[in-house]
């Protein structure tokens, strides 16, 4: 990925190639993997093969998946560490692989993460350095009176309602939020980077307000709403299971108090 305009300095070459060719979401990993420091550290720790999959911007503007394999060796005469790079187009294989992963992790109806994938990605965040700063919260919400929708209008109509409400919630959340369907009409939202606890509560109230609506069919009417339970990390739990259990307790307290409201996990609930 170097041309006549590249500097002879290795670090400068890597910076220029990243800027010119690498997809913006892969730049940081690309630079970290192929930095001089990382290459030498890997070499002297015994790892002489470095491997990275990344998205490359082509000359025609298209994006294709590539794999870069860097084979390291020490020059017998100069003792310099040198590398042979092999770059291969893996676009078709990678896109097929990503489709399979998507299908295995997604709820077929709503497109949200399924229960297992939701837990996996929340746990991944909680085990990262990002979890040490900012405000994180786990919200559980389910639909009040949804059973009446299925009973009155049928399950196909109920599925349409779930899809519609999923789209509403998806539009409320930002790209970093983790949203999962963890039960029939029970959903989880994990907010990894809220500005404050008050902001979390505002989002939860927005969910309640947006879902509160009425459906009708053949002269029959049914209102539905949402109850939301909130648990904050680490105050209400230091791992996924604790946060889920305490948000679930808060959710059922919201239902006991009359539904269509937000309740934060209380101290007595956590005993």
């Amino acid at each position: 990925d170097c041309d006549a305009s590249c500097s002879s300095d290795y670090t400068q070459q890597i910076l220029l190639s990243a800027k010119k060719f690498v997809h913006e979401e892969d730049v940081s990993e690309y630079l970290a993997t192929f930095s001089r420091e990382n290459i030498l550290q890997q070499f002297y720790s015994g790892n002489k093969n470095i491997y990275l999959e990344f998205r490359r911007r082509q000359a025609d503007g298209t994006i294709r998946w590539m794999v870069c394999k860097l084979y390291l060796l020490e020059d017998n005469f100069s003792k310099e560490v040198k590398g042979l790079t092999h770059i291969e187009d893996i676009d078709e294989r990678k896109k097929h692989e990503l489709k399979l992963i998507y299908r295995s992790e997604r709820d077929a109806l709503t497109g949200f993460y399924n229960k297992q994938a939701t837990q996996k990605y929340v746990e991944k965040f909680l085990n990262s350095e990002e979890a040490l700063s900012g405000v994180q919260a786990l919200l559980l919400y389910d639909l009040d009176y949804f059973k009446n929708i299925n009973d009155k209008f049928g399950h196909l109509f109920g599925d349409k309602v779930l899809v519609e409400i999923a789209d509403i919630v998806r539009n409320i959340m930002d790209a970093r939020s983790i949203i999962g369907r963890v039960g029939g009409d029970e959903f989880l939202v994990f907010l990894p980077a809220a500005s404050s606890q008050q902001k979390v509560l505002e989002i939860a109230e927005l969910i309640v307000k947006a879902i509160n609506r009425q459906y009708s069919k053949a002269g029959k009417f049914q209102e539905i709403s949402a109850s939301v339970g909130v648990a904050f990390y680490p105050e209400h739990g230091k791992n996924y299971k604790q946060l889920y259990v305490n948000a679930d307790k808060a959710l059922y307290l919201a239902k006991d108090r009359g539904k269509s409201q937000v309740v934060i996990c209380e101290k007595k609930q956590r005993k």
Side-chain angles (χ1 to χ4, degrees):
D1 279 344
C2 193
D3 55 34
S5 65
C6 277
S7 164
S8 60
D9 177 76
Y10 173 78
T11 299
Q12 187 66 18
Q13 288 183 18
I14 292 298
L15 288 171
L16 288 171
S17 67
K19 181 179 180 181
K20 185 173 181 180
F21 299 111
V22 181
H23 189 283
E24 59 183 11
E25 293 181 8
D26 298 332
V27 166
S28 60
E29 186 177 12
Y30 180 90
L31 292 175
T33 301
F34 297 117
S35 69
R36 182 189 300 274
E37 293 77 8
N38 184 61
I39 288 175
L40 292 176
Q41 180 182 1
Q42 296 295 324
F43 180 82
Y44 290 117
S45 64
N47 180 20
K48 298 181 180 180
N49 299 320
I50 296 177
Y51 178 100
L52 179 70
E53 294 180 357
F54 67 96
R55 285 160 289 185
R56 187 184 191 277
R57 295 198 302 270
Q58 304 293 89
D60 62 1
T62 60
I63 302 294
R64 297 188 67 83
W65 278 96
M66 301 285 173
V67 60
C68 180
K69 302 173 184 178
L70 176 61
Y71 305 99
L72 302 174
L73 57 108
E74 187 176 65
D75 188 295
N76 289 330
F77 297 98
S78 68
K79 300 304 179 183
E80 292 178 327
V81 176
K82 298 185 176 180
L84 173 65
T85 302
H86 174 76
I87 299 177
E88 180 182 350
D89 187 314
I90 58 167
D91 196 65
E92 290 187 13
R93 174 180 67 79
K94 186 65 178 180
K95 286 179 178 176
H96 178 67
E97 176 187 318
L98 292 174
K99 284 181 181 179
L100 294 178
I101 292 173
Y102 183 91
R103 290 174 185 171
S104 70
E105 293 184 340
R106 298 286 174 164
D107 170 57
L109 183 65
T110 63
F112 289 161
Y113 287 121
N114 59 32
K115 187 174 184 178
Q116 294 74 23
T118 301
Q119 179 173 348
K120 180 179 78 172
Y121 287 112
V122 173
E123 287 178 341
K124 181 180 179 180
F125 179 86
L126 293 177
N127 291 328
S128 71
E129 292 185 1
E130 290 182 275
L132 301 177
S133 60
V135 176
Q136 295 85 39
L138 190 150
L139 283 60
L140 274 183
Y141 72 91
D142 77 1
L143 307 181
D144 308 319
Y145 314 111
F146 181 73
K147 183 178 182 299
N148 293 348
I149 292 283
N150 285 331
D151 292 343
K152 288 183 179 180
F153 310 139
H155 288 276
L156 288 178
F157 191 95
D159 285 350
K160 291 180 180 179
V161 171
L162 290 176
V163 171
E164 179 181 312
I165 290 176
D167 289 338
I168 291 170
V169 173
R170 185 181 288 109
N171 290 331
I172 292 173
M173 302 303 157
D174 64 27
R176 295 196 63 195
S177 300
I178 299 170
I179 315 175
R181 185 184 182 191
V182 294
D185 63 332
E186 183 174 270
F187 299 85
L188 182 152
V189 175
F190 182 76
L191 302 175
S195 56
S196 66
Q197 290 193 358
Q198 181 58 39
K199 183 62 177 179
V200 170
L201 297 181
E202 289 174 4
I203 293 172
E205 292 286 358
L206 193 57
I207 291 173
V208 171
K209 182 178 180 180
I211 291 176
N212 197 333
R213 56 191 49 231
Q214 184 182 82
Y215 291 92
S216 64
K217 181 182 179 183
K220 298 178 181 179
F221 298 86
Q222 179 61 53
E223 291 186 358
I224 65 169
S225 57
S227 298
V228 183
V230 180
F232 288 103
Y233 171 87
E235 179 182 349
H236 301 139
K238 296 183 179 180
N239 56 50
Y240 175 87
K241 183 177 179 180
Q242 292 172 351
L243 289 170
Y244 183 95
V245 167
N246 285 323
D248 191 53
K249 290 178 180 179
L251 167 61
Y252 279 93
L253 184 57
K255 287 186 170 294
D256 288 342
R257 291 179 178 177
K259 302 181 175 63
S260 190
Q261 60 185 281
V262 177
V263 171
I264 304 174
C265 176
E266 299 177 356
K267 185 175 181 180
K268 63 181 180 180
Q269 293 176 274
R270 305 199 300 271
K271 292 181 179 179

